[in-house]
């Protein structure tokens, strides 16, 4: 196993305090949004096997089967197929959706054929992979996930008392579900900017008043008013008002599959995703919004947000998802408990989020790292990369997340 040195990304929406509090470091005064653990080329983790720090991406490239295992390479190619993050949202992230695998492959091939530069601001598909995501709350965590039932959105919008919204309310009440969602989202995102900005401002002011008055939608109105404070006049505010507002408690999770509109609003969590950069944005961002392509990818299906809770299997709490590129589980280690064996034929990243966890190598080392008889102690925010076939035990008092793949 190898202790990882990881990069913190200072995106503007990041909290200046949440990650430093977890890591036990002093705030810098700047936003600290995400800590990346993995081999993504944008900020790969680093490790040291005795010859100085090297990128995990370069280590994998040099010998994919040794680092990932033959089965993982056969299933996903010579790359680590997931990216693990600590995510600290101090303000809303962009409202977005991700393509499915077929859409990603087709979109990437099309933009390559048309010669769209990979770093162009208007490019939609950076790679040929899909990007399902799982977020697990470490603190109370607010987000948006999936469409509300149109009748509920109609009631919520009608409660704002904004005349400009009445045509949308009528559509939501009188049109079949999928058509209603499609027509309203299309109208909001395609409207002339000055007109829709005025409507957004009036809706935001009304949402703030309704939140203060209380009632069944008070928390939702407060969330939407908060979004509008960060993105005044943005049509994405109205798009957000079509979505479920979710308040996760620590340990609860959301799975974001292809085509599901979503945004994170505030809180600290562990995020695990397929290793891709493909994002189509609906708003709440100064970045490119490709409305026609977005509407082609969005799944216009209403329902609840589907909050996940882990299922305990032999002491390992597993967050079940329907994809194979990643699998996330959690261990709550009690003081004085016997060391727990931990072995896998797939690559793993282990992340401590609380207490202190001892990770001890019990099997022969494949070369470099901490092998047989070696031990590392992890504090909150610290992580290790474990190659397939390494036998470990974990002990101590704390919380340990385990990210791996399904093959």
């Amino acid at each position: 196993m190898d202790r990882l040195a990881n990069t913190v990304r200072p995106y503007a929406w990041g909290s200046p305090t949440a990650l430093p509090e977890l890591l036990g470091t002093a705030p810098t005064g700047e936003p600290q949004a995400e800590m990346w653990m993995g081999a993504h080329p944008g900020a790969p983790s680093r490790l040291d096997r005795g010859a100085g720090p090297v990128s995990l991406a370069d280590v994998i490239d040099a010998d994919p089967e040794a680092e990932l295992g033959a089965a993982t390479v056969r299933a996903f190619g010579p790359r680590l197929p997931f990216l693990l993050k600590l995510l600290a949202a101090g303000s809303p992230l962009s409202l977005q959706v991700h393509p499915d695998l077929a859409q990603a492959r087709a979109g990437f091939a099309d933009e390559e054929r048309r010669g769209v530069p990979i770093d162009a601001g208007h490019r939609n598909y950076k790679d040929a992979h899909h990007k399902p995501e799982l977020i697990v709350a470490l603190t109370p965590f607010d987000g948006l996930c999936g469409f509300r039932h149109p009748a509920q959105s109609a009631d919520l919008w009608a409660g704002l008392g904004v005349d400009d919204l009445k045509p949308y309310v009528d559509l939501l009440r009188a049109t079949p579900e999928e058509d209603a969602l499609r027509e309203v989202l299309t109208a909001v995102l395609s409207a002339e900017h000055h007109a829709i900005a005025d409507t957004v401002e009036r809706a935001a002011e009304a949402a703030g008043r309704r939140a203060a008055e209380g009632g069944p939608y008070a928390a939702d109105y407060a969330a939407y008013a908060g979004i509008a404070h960060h993105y005044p006049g943005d049509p994405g505010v109205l798009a957000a008002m079509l979505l479920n507002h979710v308040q996760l408690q620590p340990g609860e999770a959301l799975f974001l599959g292809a085509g599901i509109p979503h945004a994170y609003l505030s809180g600290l969590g562990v995020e695990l995703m397929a290793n891709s950069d493909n994002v189509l944005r609906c708003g709440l961002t100064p970045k490119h919004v490709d409305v026609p392509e977005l509407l082609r990818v969005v799944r216009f299906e209403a329902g609840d947000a589907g909050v996940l809770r882990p299922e305990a299997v032999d002491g390992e709490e597993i967050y079940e998802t329907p994809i194979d590129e990643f699998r996330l589980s959690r261990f709550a280690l009690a003081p004085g408990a016997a060391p727990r064996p931990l072995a896998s034929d797939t690559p793993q990243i282990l992340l401590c989020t609380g207490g202190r966890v001892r990770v001890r190598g019990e099997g022969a080392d494949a070369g470099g790292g901490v092998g047989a008889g070696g031990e590392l102690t992890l504090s909150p925010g610290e992580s290790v990369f474990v190659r397939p076939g390494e036998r470990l035990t974990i002990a101590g008092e704390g919380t340990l997340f385990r990210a791996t793949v399904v093959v």
Side-chain angles (χ1 to χ4, degrees):
M1 60 182 168
D2 300 278
R3 185 185 293 275
L4 296 177
N6 304 304
T7 298
V8 173
R9 310 305 296 264
Y11 304 135
W13 50 261
S15 165
T17 58
L19 272 179
E21 287 176 4
L22 179 75
L23 301 173
T25 59
T28 64
E30 300 298 320
Q32 298 187 40
E34 296 180 344
M35 176 184 284
W36 289 18
M37 290 155 279
H40 190 287
S45 299
R46 300 170 304 283
L47 53 86
D48 190 342
R49 293 181 177 172
V54 292
S55 156
L56 178 57
D58 290 342
V59 170
I60 291 171
D61 287 345
D63 195 344
E65 288 205 2
E67 303 298 332
L68 304 176
T72 299
V73 173
R74 282 195 302 271
F76 307 110
R79 60 192 290 272
L80 188 66
F82 64 79
L83 177 64
L84 181 64
K85 299 180 180 181
L86 283 168
L87 182 147
S91 59
L93 283 67
S94 62
L95 184 59
Q96 59 190 256
V97 298
H98 305 303
D100 64 25
L101 190 54
Q103 291 165 339
R105 287 173 174 168
F108 180 75
D110 175 64
E111 290 185 326
E112 288 287 279
R113 178 185 56 78
R114 292 190 286 116
V116 181
I118 198 70
D119 58 352
H122 64 283
R123 178 147 184 165
N124 293 315
Y125 297 95
K126 308 293 188 181
D127 53 67
H129 305 287
H130 64 167
K131 192 186 178 186
E133 300 177 355
L134 178 71
I135 184 79
V136 179
L138 295 179
T139 67
F141 194 97
D142 269 27
L144 306 174
C145 179
F147 288 107
R148 290 179 184 274
H149 289 288
Q152 295 174 345
S153 291
D155 290 345
L156 186 145
W157 285 31
L160 294 171
V162 175
D163 289 343
D164 290 350
L165 295 180
K166 189 177 185 307
Y168 302 137
V169 171
D170 293 342
L171 270 173
L172 291 167
R173 284 180 171 158
T175 310
E177 180 175 283
E178 181 176 340
D179 294 339
L181 295 172
R182 182 183 297 276
E183 290 182 31
V184 173
L185 184 65
T186 301
V188 164
L189 297 183
S190 304
E192 192 275 325
H193 177 76
H194 176 74
I196 200 68
D198 288 346
T199 301
V200 169
E201 289 301 292
R202 287 193 289 273
E205 292 172 3
R209 293 194 299 271
R210 295 293 182 268
E213 293 168 0
Y217 289 121
D220 302 327
Y221 284 137
Y224 300 135
I227 293 169
H229 172 76
H230 290 284
Y231 296 97
D234 191 315
V237 174
L238 294 182
M241 289 184 179
L242 294 170
L243 305 186
N244 295 297
H245 171 225
V246 188
Q247 295 177 300
L248 299 179
Q249 295 306 307
E252 295 181 332
L254 291 174
F255 173 71
L256 296 315
I260 304 300
H262 63 276
Y264 304 143
L265 304 182
S266 65
L268 177 67
V270 173
E271 185 180 36
L272 185 59
M273 62 177 61
N275 197 355
S276 169
D277 284 328
N278 289 326
V279 176
L280 292 155
R281 296 175 178 86
C282 313
L284 313 184
T285 178
K287 295 181 180 179
H288 176 61
V289 177
D290 184 336
V291 174
E293 185 66 9
L294 169 74
L295 295 173
R296 192 180 71 83
V297 168
V298 171
R299 291 171 52 188
F300 291 98
E301 299 174 1
D304 63 39
V307 174
L308 291 178
R309 295 171 183 84
E311 298 181 11
V313 180
D314 296 329
E316 182 177 15
E317 299 175 315
I318 301 170
Y319 292 89
E320 294 287 355
T321 63
I323 51 92
D324 295 336
E325 280 85 350
F326 61 72
R327 176 181 180 272
L328 187 66
S329 59
R330 182 181 66 173
F331 297 93
L333 303 176
R340 177 186 178 85
L342 196 65
S344 177
D345 292 328
T346 56
Q348 305 175 72
I349 292 179
L350 307 179
L351 166 67
C352 176
T353 60
R356 290 173 66 84
V357 177
R358 300 188 304 278
V359 184
R360 181 175 179 80
E362 299 292 339
D365 189 13
V370 176
E375 182 174 291
L376 294 175
T377 299
L378 303 182
S379 297
E382 294 184 332
S383 58
V384 295
F385 173 70
V386 184
R387 285 164 293 180
E390 293 191 53
R391 298 190 302 277
L392 310 173
T393 61
I394 55 175
E397 181 179 4
T399 302
L400 187 76
F401 281 86
R402 179 193 201 188
T404 187
V405 302
V406 179
V407 293

